[in-house]
């Protein structure tokens, strides 16, 4: 018996479990891409696979739907590969260990990859079922979405004829997304120098934060461990001398950093001050983040006295200055759409190397110039400290469309099925819809999905009842596509 046997809809969870057996963290795409190709071949479905491992699987219209608009179904097959500190999971070769907890599906010690494996499972279930009524379908499964929408950028959309698109990369049942922010990754390299230092090697760990998606949760007043470490290092420096041997926090620029670790070199007489600083700051931060991130912990673990290579005093000050001043959080709220974050930044990756401090921030905005200005601020700060800055993964915003027949249809179907209107809104998180909208003139697009909690974290959960409810919604929407002319 499989972990998901008996869950409904059966085909959706069958294919989701199959996908979870295949390692598919971002950049590790070939095996899952080849699985999708094999799936198409076994069912005699036309397919397209490109060098970026994107896959498009085509299915002809069912009887009576030949004149309905060709419809693109779209999602991505890569997942954010995060695990708990005590997990020995190897994302390059191990499948996920799925488990059911009440009404939720989760994974043991790792992220689940419901974002966006559930979209792929939906598509495979539709492609596998010849009893469903639908227009001609182009099921587009992209790669490396979580590291800059790289697959969607690389995809040659001339292989697509669809004029309407349903993206399934949303995480809140009852919401239809109709616009999203654009974004980029800004990477800073700040050169540093080391020198021989003698003292007690001491580890400082900031942990226990909730983290989350830097687009979806940036407005929830959650702390960033990298920024908190900068605050701790600054506070400690006001009281005593120390140096930094090592520093690291986060592995994904689009995940709010949950944990950051620094290895310091202190005089024995300063150890007590380090612990006092940690205790006071922990207390203050739990008060500051009450109701949103009160689980913050700052621990100080002392080792033995050693002579080691650690940052020079000038380099240490550059690192601390950068961490204190690098932007994090909401930069600006939208002046047009109430409650929408317009512009934000997240310092997601921090690593002290042999010759430089490396960091990567996720920059988002629904206004192109605001995105550019915030990126320029990061560049200016980096270059002020003698470093270099590089932009990667730049993708456009998905602009609001006033005359969307797809939006109107999906809103009507939702109300018909469930007796209530969906919430139709723009979001701050980035979606591949912007790239497709940019590449395919006149594309009419809507994004939806079942409820997921704490995506991009090891606490990620997928609602089982919501998955079934949104499956029925998707099937009914496709049945209604022949009403669009």
């Amino acid at each position: 018996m499989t972990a998901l046997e008996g869950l409904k809809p059966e085909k959706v969870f069958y294919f989701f479990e199959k996908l979870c057996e295949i390692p598919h963290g971002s950049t590790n795409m070939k095996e899952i891409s080849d699985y999708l190709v094999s799936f198409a071949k076994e069912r005699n479905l036309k397919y397209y696979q490109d060098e970026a491992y994107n896959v498009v699987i085509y299915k002809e219209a069912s009887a009576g739907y030949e004149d309905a608009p060709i419809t693109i179904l779209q999602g991505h097959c890569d997942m954010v590969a995060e695990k708990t500190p005590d997990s020995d999971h190897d994302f390059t070769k191990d499948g996920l260990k799925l488990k059911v907890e009440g009404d939720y599906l989760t994974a043991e010690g790792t992220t689940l990859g419901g974002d966006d494996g559930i979209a792929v499972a939906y598509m495979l279930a539709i492609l596998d079922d010849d009893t469903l009524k639908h227009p001609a379908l182009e099921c587009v499964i992209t790669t490396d979405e979580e590291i800059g929408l790289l697959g969607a950028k690389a995809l040659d959309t001339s292989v697509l004829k669809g004029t309407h698109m349903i993206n399934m990369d949303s995480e809140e049942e009852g919401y239809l997304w109709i616009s999203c922010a654009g974004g980029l990754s800004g990477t800073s390299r700040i050169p540093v120098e080391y020198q021989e230092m003698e003292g007690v090697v001491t580890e400082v760990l900031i942990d226990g934060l909730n983290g989350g998606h830097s687009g979806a949760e940036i407005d929830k007043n959650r702390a960033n461990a990298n920024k908190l470490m900068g605050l701790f290092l600054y506070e400690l420096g006001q009281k005593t001398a120390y140096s930094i041997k090592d520093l690291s926090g986060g592995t994904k620029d689009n995940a709010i950093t949950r944990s950051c670790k620094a290895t310091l070199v202190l005089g024995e007489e300063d150890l007590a001050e380090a612990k006092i600083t940690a205790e006071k700051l922990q207390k203050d931060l739990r008060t500051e983040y009450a109701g949103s991130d009160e689980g913050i912990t700052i621990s100080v673990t002392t080792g033995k006295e050693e002579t080691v290579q650690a940052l020079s005093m000038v380099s240490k000050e550059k690192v601390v200055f950068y961490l204190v001043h690098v932007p994090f959080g909401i930069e600006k709220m939208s002046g047009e759409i109430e409650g929408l974050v317009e512009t934000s930044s997240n310092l997601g990756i921090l690593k002290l190397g042999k010759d430089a401090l490396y960091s990567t921030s996720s920059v988002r905005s629904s206004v192109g110039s605001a995105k550019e200005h915030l990126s320029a601020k990061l560049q200016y700060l980096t270059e002020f400290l003698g470093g270099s800055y590089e932009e990667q993964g730049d993708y456009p915003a998905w602009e609001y469309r006033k005359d969307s027949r797809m939006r109107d249809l999906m809103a009507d179907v939702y109300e018909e099925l469930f007796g209530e209107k969906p919430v139709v809104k723009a979001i701050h998180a980035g979606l591949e819809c912007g790239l497709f909208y940019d590449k395919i003139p006149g594309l009419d697009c809507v994004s939806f999905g079942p409820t997921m909690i704490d995506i991009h974290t090891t606490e990620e959960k997928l609602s089982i009842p919501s998955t079934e409810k949104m499956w029925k919604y998707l099937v009914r929407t496709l049945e209604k596509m022949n009403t669009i002319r």
Side-chain angles (χ1 to χ4, degrees):
M1 180 176 178
T2 65
L4 308 189
E5 190 170 332
L7 297 186
K8 296 184 182 300
E10 292 181 0
K11 279 195 174 182
V12 172
F13 282 111
Y14 169 81
F15 286 116
F16 186 80
E17 190 162 19
K18 286 292 183 184
L19 296 170
C20 290
E21 292 171 0
I22 304 169
H24 58 284
S26 300
T27 74
N28 187 25
M29 296 282 92
K30 186 178 188 304
E31 186 177 356
I32 198 162
S33 179
D34 288 345
Y35 166 79
L36 297 171
V37 169
S38 297
F39 172 94
K41 287 180 177 178
E42 290 168 4
R43 291 156 182 80
N44 295 315
L45 296 171
K46 180 184 172 184
Y47 70 91
Y48 167 82
Q49 182 185 40
D50 65 13
E51 293 183 355
Y53 299 119
N54 295 305
V55 174
V56 182
I57 304 176
Y58 305 85
K59 190 171 186 181
E60 294 181 357
S62 53
Y65 285 75
E66 294 84 358
D67 295 330
I70 298 172
T71 302
I72 300 169
L73 300 181
Q74 194 269 321
H76 62 88
C77 61
D78 66 312
M79 64 175 285
V80 169
E82 292 280 354
K83 62 182 181 179
T84 56
D86 60 344
S87 172
D88 61 357
H89 186 88
D90 185 343
F91 280 104
T92 66
K93 63 181 181 181
D94 296 338
L96 304 179
K97 296 179 181 178
L98 304 180
K99 60 179 180 179
V100 176
E101 295 181 348
D103 284 341
Y104 288 94
L105 175 63
T106 188
E108 294 183 18
T110 67
T111 38
L112 173 65
D115 172 20
D116 193 24
I118 195 60
V120 182
Y122 277 157
M123 284 186 266
L124 298 184
I126 288 170
L127 292 167
D128 190 58
D129 192 337
D130 292 331
T131 68
L132 300 177
K133 299 176 181 178
H134 56 76
L137 298 175
E138 298 173 332
C139 294
V140 180
I141 302 165
T142 51
T143 56
D144 293 336
E145 186 268 355
E146 300 290 4
I147 54 173
L149 288 70
L150 302 184
K153 282 185 176 180
L155 182 66
D156 177 4
T157 54
S158 67
V159 302
L160 303 175
K161 305 302 179 187
T163 55
H164 295 68
M165 187 171 100
I166 302 174
N167 166 279
M168 296 172 285
D169 192 15
S170 299
E171 296 87 33
E172 290 186 78
E173 175 194 306
Y175 286 77
L176 300 182
W177 308 125
I178 41 78
S179 176
C180 75
L184 59 83
S185 295
T187 298
S188 298
R189 179 189 179 279
I190 300 173
V192 296
E193 294 181 350
Y194 289 80
Q195 65 184 48
E196 199 170 84
M197 295 280 189
E198 183 178 356
V200 180
V201 176
T202 302
E203 182 179 285
V204 179
L205 177 65
I206 298 181
D207 202 4
L209 284 68
N210 287 323
H213 189 285
S214 66
E217 275 82 42
I218 202 70
D219 61 343
K220 293 181 171 56
N221 195 38
R222 295 183 181 178
N224 181 306
N226 291 333
K227 286 290 292 181
L228 298 189
M229 182 62 77
L231 182 57
F232 172 82
L233 295 175
Y234 171 77
E235 294 282 347
L236 182 61
Q238 300 305 297
K239 301 179 178 71
T240 188
Y242 67 91
S243 189
I244 303 173
K245 178 178 181 290
D246 197 13
L247 177 64
S248 63
T251 58
K252 307 292 180 184
D253 71 316
N254 60 0
I256 300 172
T257 311
R258 304 174 67 190
S259 178
C260 184
K261 181 169 68 174
T263 304
L264 308 182
V265 182
L266 299 100
E268 188 170 354
E269 68 278 7
D270 298 320
L271 295 176
E273 192 61 64
K275 292 183 178 180
I276 291 170
T277 301
E279 290 172 3
K280 182 180 184 304
L281 185 58
Q282 175 181 289
K283 181 180 178 181
D284 290 346
L285 291 173
R286 288 184 175 182
T287 299
E288 289 181 31
Y289 289 95
S292 62
D293 227 341
E294 61 275 304
I296 296 168
T297 62
I298 305 178
S299 60
V300 176
T301 306
T302 57
K304 60 182 180 178
E305 188 164 347
E306 296 181 63
T307 299
V308 298
Q309 292 293 310
L311 292 183
S312 68
M313 289 300 104
V314 171
S315 291
K316 183 202 78 170
E317 290 302 326
K318 285 167 62 175
V319 168
V320 175
F321 185 92
Y322 175 80
L323 289 177
V324 169
H325 289 89
V326 65
F328 164 70
I330 298 172
E331 189 82 359
K332 184 177 180 293
M333 298 295 291
S334 173
E336 294 184 320
I337 302 175
E338 185 177 354
L340 175 67
V341 178
E342 178 198 279
T343 308
S344 75
S345 180
N346 175 62
L347 176 61
I349 304 173
L350 186 68
K351 179 64 180 176
L352 183 59
K354 292 182 179 180
D355 59 352
L357 176 73
Y358 297 89
S359 70
T360 303
S361 293
S362 174
V363 177
R364 302 175 188 270
S365 183
S366 51
V367 178
S369 60
K371 179 180 68 176
E372 293 169 5
H373 294 157
L374 183 51
S375 182
K377 181 186 290 188
L378 288 166
Q379 180 174 357
Y380 185 38
L381 173 61
T382 303
E383 293 177 351
F384 177 80
L385 295 170
S388 57
Y389 178 79
E390 182 183 4
E391 293 181 350
Q392 295 177 318
D394 195 350
Y395 59 91
W398 169 26
E399 298 179 5
Y400 174 72
R401 176 175 173 150
K402 292 182 179 179
D403 58 339
S404 170
R405 292 183 296 175
M406 194 79 232
R407 178 188 66 230
D408 294 343
L409 172 68
M410 292 186 70
D412 289 344
V413 170
Y414 193 94
E415 188 172 7
E416 170 198 314
L417 279 179
F418 309 122
E420 59 183 0
K421 294 181 181 294
V423 178
V424 180
K425 64 182 294 185
I427 59 169
H428 185 58
L431 291 172
E432 292 164 300
C433 302
L435 285 164
F436 285 94
Y437 184 85
D438 195 50
K439 290 183 178 185
I440 304 174
L443 182 68
D444 194 352
C445 183
V446 174
S447 179
F448 86 103
T451 295
M452 284 178 254
I453 300 172
D454 291 328
I455 63 170
H456 297 186
T457 78
T458 55
E459 305 303 316
E460 180 183 359
K461 293 180 175 62
L462 170 66
S463 167
I464 296 167
S466 183
T467 299
E468 182 176 21
K469 184 176 177 180
M470 292 300 96
W471 165 252
K472 293 176 180 177
Y473 176 51
L474 174 61
V475 169
R476 184 60 174 159
T477 297
L478 294 177
E479 288 178 357
K480 287 284 193 175
M481 286 300 296
N482 65 352
T483 65
I484 294 181
R485 291 291 185 267

